[in-house]
Amino acid sequence: MWSLAVASPHPAAAFAAARPRRRPRPAAAAAPSHRDVNPQRWRCEKTQAWSFWSSLRASDLPGGLYGDASKNMLTPAAVEQAEASAHLPKGDMWSVHKFGGTCMGTSQRIQNVADIILRDPSERKLVVVSAMSKVTDMMYNLVNKAQSRDDSYITALDEVFEKHMAAAKDLLGGEDLARFLSQLHADVSNLKAMLRAICIAGHATESFSDFVVGHGEIWSAQLLSFAIKKSGTPCSWMDTREVLVVNPTGSNQVDPDYLESEKRLEKWFARRPAETIIATGFIASTPENIPTTLKRDGSDFSAAIIGSLVKAGQVTIWTDVDGVFSADPRKVSEAVILSTLSYQEAWEMSYFGANVLHPRTIIPVMKYNIPIVIRNMFNISAPGTMICQQPANESGDLEACVKAFATIDKLSLVNVEGTGMAGVPGTASAIFGAVKDVGANVIMISQASSEHSVCFAVPEKEVAAVSAALHVRFREALSAGRLSKVEVIHNCSILAAVGLKMASTPGVSATLFDALAKANINVRAIAQGCSEYNITVVLKQEDCVRALRAAHSRFFLSKTTLAVGIIGPGLIGRTLLNQLKDQAAVLKENMNIDLRVMGITGSRTMVLSDTGIDLAKWKEQLKTEAEPANLDKFVDHLSENQLFPNRVLVDCTADTSVASHYYDWLKKGIHVITPNKKANSGPLDKYLKLRTLQRASYTHYFYEATVGAGLPIISTLRGLLETGDKILRIEGIFSGTLSYIFNNFEGTRTFSDVVSEAKEAGYTEPDPRDDLSGTDVARKVIILARESGLKLELSDIPVRSLVPEALRSCSTADEYMQKLPSFDQDWGRERKDAEAAGEVLRYVGVVDVVNKEGQVELRRYKKEHPFAQLSGSDNIIAFTTSRYKEQPLIVRGPGAGAEVTAGGVFSDILRLASYLGAPS
């Protein structure tokens, strides 16, 4: 502890020495409240406190109570002579640096700052510093404790002293350390006296509070100046309360007086010329020399003001980030560092909450086109972000014109609506006059050209007062029906796209809204100024992060980033994953498509990832990192991971229960792609409900591989219908398995031998009866019939099963295969009859659109017929339409096998990417 008696004859010291002292309390005793103090003593001390305040002149504050007393030792004549002989140079020779509290947080960091300054090759350097990390908050806490008559302010002040003393001892030595500690001791003694007076009075004016808080910057500047001096480089420190003059305005802001500040800076420099100057940030004085601060982000503002006063070549703001991000990296992990920003872009981003600079910081440097560079003190190799008049050499494409995105949360949208508003002068004035009267901050305004409604966004905490004020102001209009409603929409957020070149680039708005629509985001209101520097949209707060990621992904990453969930890593799913692995890098490089597999689930286990599974290791992960399969959790993981706004589930199973979830997934905004036929061939009402939902939303449902594996059957049919053609008949060999069997059932080969061969080659299901029953072909027929507009159930399709009645009850596939040869004679007779007529047997499905029916049967075709020309497991489908009546349109190719089926699913994924904005 230190004595409160001070050598200075200042009133604060005199009051501290002369005031009555309380007797020391035992250490364990609780501190009494002010009501415990003797009333007579309390009145005496309070009288003396007010006597102290009244005796303390405003002109005293910037003088003996702070700073280095030696600066006041010049005589008036010496000052005039110094001012005449030293002139403040201005121009590019000055380099201005600003270091925030984090950069000045420890003795080591202060030394690092000194090293940065010493390495700067600029002719002259002016460095603005903040208080050490957390010191400003500690100083405000001192004042608050003193005002509350909480004696613990003494302990809190001790902590401030210890923090700076420890930093000084680590950083300095010898005479420099002694000088700093002497000044620190004197400052703290004076502060104790002032805080004691505040404690007695129970009140501190804003100027006294600012004066106390400003000591943090003074000590920080002094420490850095000593650190630079010890390297042998001359250096002066500046208390900017002697130089910067500001006029307090409303809304907790100040306006710099540039002319007066320039005069004071020239006088200061005349007395203490130096090539390196360390200046205090954040603090200034009023024209009456009363201490004040520059309010929010004041140190940045100080640097910009001083930079403009000396017309510096550059102002560098040192922080703990590598520069300005294209979006909040806490919300968008793939946000990028911007190399350049214009003043206007930085201004817009700051307004919408981006952690760039306070808008007022940009004003002083804009006048002289002084660039501001944001750099990371902890990563000096990073070039940072330059904020300047007009960034050069930037491409003019659509993606480059949007520089960044910012958001504001916790807003409400107020909508004032009524036919009586149209054409009535003064309505808007009345609305916003009422808002002004309650002191609410309007973030955004939007009005339709019909003047039927006006909506605006205000902070959620202010909307109740705004709504009440509007209802009072427009009570008569609401009663008379001239206004229909004053509506409040809670839980809103703002998303702003910012870019200087948006004004001259067509298509920016379309691209933004397209990205939001395809991410299933609903926009509540829109605003854009005629300058077109930003486009602002209001949306639900719960959608804000997803909207931000969708927009950012569209403009900054690939045109399409897809979060993919794979259900069923069996033969088809496994093959698809291998294809994705082999092609992912090519797609990202050549087509700007970024595919991220976020999860893989089988029937027993699943593996999940927040950023994407390494497809080279997914099998190992499914063994070592898997958790029990849970389809609901799997879907929630994909749905709730808002890192990537476009999400798709790929169902590679043949499971009816999985297919039953498609409707719910689409309703959640998740796209669905599948080769699973169960949903589209299931109950008609569920199918129609599914398709109605899909058509009514921006959520896509693709199922090309359900009919022809990798063949473009569904897309060909849709193309014919969408261009106005009329489908008459669809006929085809839809099963690769049955195609293989009947293509090879010739000569002397028996039917059972061919089926056995197909099974061994992997063309059939484990139980060949699943193929030979014809049910799979019937499902494909139903799918094509429904695509053609027929409302048929699966039970409406007559199917000839190729499984003999006597073998349908076999309990196993092996039993079936053992008994199948007993029917070879029947099959041989049917083949011989066909060959005698110059025909072949083919198992086909038919959609007769004219007669609104379908069928699956074994038919005979002439050997010249296209269906008789197949080989292997090829499929063939013939479309007979109004345009292709005489010569049907034929699609032919492999229709079975894991590679082609997975390829068909992969093609659907790429088609989805194209729909979402990827180049085709």
Side-chain angles (χ1 to χ4, degrees), residues 340-346 362-363 365-372 386-392 403 500 533:
T340 59
L341 278 174
S342 70
Y343 294 128
Q344 291 85 353
E345 288 166 339
I362 301 168
I363 297 173
V365 297
M366 284 182 65
K367 182 178 180 181
Y368 301 105
N369 292 339
I370 301 170
I372 299 177
M386 176 175 285
I387 301 172
C388 52
Q389 184 65 30
Q390 179 68 54
K403 278 295 188 70
L500 187 64
Y533 292 154

Side-chain angles (χ1 to χ4, degrees), residues 855-905:
Q855 54 190 338
V856 176
E857 59 187 2
L858 185 66
R859 287 190 173 185
R860 290 159 52 169
Y861 292 91
K862 293 293 183 182
K863 292 185 177 180
E864 309 80 60
H865 194 279
F867 286 13
Q869 307 300 314
L870 295 184
S871 61
S873 62
D874 281 3
N875 284 5
I876 186 168
I877 294 89
F879 294 91
T880 302
T881 72
S882 297
R883 295 173 187 162
Y884 297 93
K885 197 169 188 178
E886 303 300 326
Q887 186 74 25
L889 174 64
I890 290 177
V891 178
R892 172 180 171 174
E899 289 290 338
V900 293
T901 304
V905 175

Side-chain angles (χ1 to χ4, degrees), residues 179-208:
R179 289 177 61 192
F180 176 79
L181 291 181
S182 174
Q183 186 64 53
L184 176 66
H185 190 283
D187 290 343
V188 169
S189 296
N190 282 334
L191 285 175
K192 269 197 174 179
M194 290 192 67
L195 291 168
R196 179 59 187 161
I198 292 172
C199 183
I200 294 171
H203 173 72
T205 63
E206 182 180 358
S207 60
F208 274 94

Side-chain angles (χ1 to χ4, degrees), residues 282-525:
F282 185 57
I283 56 178
S285 293
T286 67
E288 296 79 22
N289 292 331
I290 297 174
T292 188
T293 67
L294 300 183
K295 315 307 177 187
R296 178 188 167 192
D297 293 318
S299 294
D300 289 351
F301 199 12
S302 300
I305 295 170
I306 292 174
S308 70
L309 294 179
V310 299
K311 298 180 175 58
Q314 179 174 297
V315 175
T316 303
I317 307 292
W318 294 89
T319 67
D320 56 359
V321 294
D322 287 345
V324 180
F325 283 90
S326 55
D328 187 341
R330 295 167 298 181
K331 298 177 181 178
V332 182
S333 63
E334 305 203 9
V336 298
I337 296 292
L338 302 172
S339 59
T340 59
L341 278 174
S342 70
Y343 294 128
Q344 291 85 353
E345 288 166 339
W347 199 330
E348 294 282 352
M349 289 178 65
S350 299
Y351 177 78
F352 286 102
N355 188 20
V356 184
L357 295 170
H358 192 277
R360 291 175 64 84
T361 302
I362 301 168
I363 297 173
V365 297
M366 284 182 65
K367 182 178 180 181
Y368 301 105
N369 292 339
I370 301 170
I372 299 177
V373 180
I374 312 295
R375 293 193 62 187
N376 188 351
M377 175 184 158
F378 306 103
N379 183 17
I380 297 179
S381 61
T385 300
M386 176 175 285
I387 301 172
C388 52
Q389 184 65 30
Q390 179 68 54
N393 301 321
E394 291 188 352
S395 61
D397 60 1
L398 187 63
E399 286 71 30
C401 64
V402 175
K403 278 295 188 70
F405 295 89
T407 59
I408 304 177
D409 294 326
K410 297 181 180 178
L411 301 177
S412 289
L413 195 63
V414 181
N415 181 43
V416 182
E417 186 176 313
T419 55
M421 294 173 58
V424 179
T427 302
S429 174
I431 291 171
F432 294 109
V435 175
K436 176 180 178 295
D437 290 343
V438 297
N441 180 29
V442 176
I443 307 295
M444 186 214 76
I445 303 170
S446 180
Q447 180 178 15
S449 58
S450 65
E451 300 183 36
H452 178 70
S453 67
V454 175
C455 70
F456 53 93
V458 297
E460 186 83 50
K461 62 184 180 181
E462 298 175 357
V463 73
V466 169
S467 177
L470 290 174
H471 277 91
V472 171
R473 176 64 182 80
F474 294 104
R475 183 185 296 111
E476 293 183 6
L478 288 166
S479 300
R482 295 193 303 275
L483 288 185
S484 58
K485 61 182 176 180
V486 175
E487 178 187 18
V488 174
I489 303 170
H490 296 282
N491 300 319
C492 293
S493 291
I494 277 179
L495 168 66
V498 176
L500 187 64
K501 292 190 176 182
M502 293 196 305
S504 57
T505 307
V508 177
S509 296
T511 303
L512 173 62
F513 291 116
D514 182 62
L516 296 178
K518 287 174 177 175
N520 208 30
I521 303 294
N522 183 42
V523 175
R524 302 303 301 263

Side-chain angles (χ1 to χ4, degrees), residues 685-701:
D685 58 336
K686 292 185 177 180
Y687 165 80
L688 294 174
K689 183 181 177 183
L690 182 65
R691 292 306 308 275
T692 299
L693 173 65
Q694 187 262 321
R695 292 188 181 107
S697 68
Y698 278 92
T699 311
H700 297 284
Y701 172 43

Side-chain angles (χ1 to χ4, degrees), residues 704-911:
E704 183 70 77
T706 58
V707 175
L711 296 179
I713 306 302
I714 299 291
S715 56
T716 298
L717 176 57
R718 283 187 174 179
L720 293 170
L721 292 170
E722 289 168 0
T723 57
D725 203 353
K726 184 177 181 181
I727 306 299
L728 304 176
R729 182 184 180 88
I730 303 172
E731 184 176 359
I733 297 173
F734 294 103
S735 169
T737 301
L738 296 177
S739 176
Y740 179 88
I741 289 173
F742 285 101
N743 287 339
N744 289 278
F745 182 43
E746 57 186 7
T748 60
R749 302 193 65 185
T750 64
F751 187 75
S752 61
D753 284 343
V754 176
V755 173
S756 179
E757 179 182 275
K759 185 176 185 297
E760 291 175 4
Y763 286 116
T764 73
E765 295 294 331
D767 188 338
R769 287 176 294 178
D770 293 340
D771 298 294
L772 296 170
S773 68
T775 302
D776 186 67
V777 176
R779 288 187 182 280
K780 295 179 180 180
V781 168
I782 275 292
I783 291 171
L784 292 176
R786 290 173 175 177
E787 288 289 317
S788 302
L790 302 183
K791 296 182 178 180
L792 299 177
E793 294 281 8
L794 187 61
S795 58
D796 296 330
I797 306 297
V799 179
R800 177 182 170 180
S801 173
L802 302 182
V803 180
E805 185 74 33
L807 301 185
R808 294 176 189 175
S809 60
C810 291
S811 59
T812 65
D814 289 340
E815 181 186 353
Y816 166 75
M817 291 302 297
Q818 289 172 3
K819 294 180 178 181
L820 182 60
S822 62
F823 292 89
D824 282 344
Q825 190 175 0
D826 294 337
W827 279 110
R829 190 183 308 110
E830 193 162 356
R831 179 183 63 190
K832 185 180 289 188
D833 290 344
E835 289 175 346
E839 297 174 336
V840 296
L841 298 176
R842 295 292 184 260
Y843 195 75
V844 299
V846 178
V847 178
D848 186 344
V849 180
V850 175
N851 295 310
K852 299 182 180 179
E853 62 184 20
Q855 54 190 338
V856 176
E857 59 187 2
L858 185 66
R859 287 190 173 185
R860 290 159 52 169
Y861 292 91
K862 293 293 183 182
K863 292 185 177 180
E864 309 80 60
H865 194 279
F867 286 13
Q869 307 300 314
L870 295 184
S871 61
S873 62
D874 281 3
N875 284 5
I876 186 168
I877 294 89
F879 294 91
T880 302
T881 72
S882 297
R883 295 173 187 162
Y884 297 93
K885 197 169 188 178
E886 303 300 326
Q887 186 74 25
L889 174 64
I890 290 177
V891 178
R892 172 180 171 174
E899 289 290 338
V900 293
T901 304
V905 175
F906 198 170
S907 179
D908 272 349
I909 293 174
L910 296 183
R911 185 154 64 103

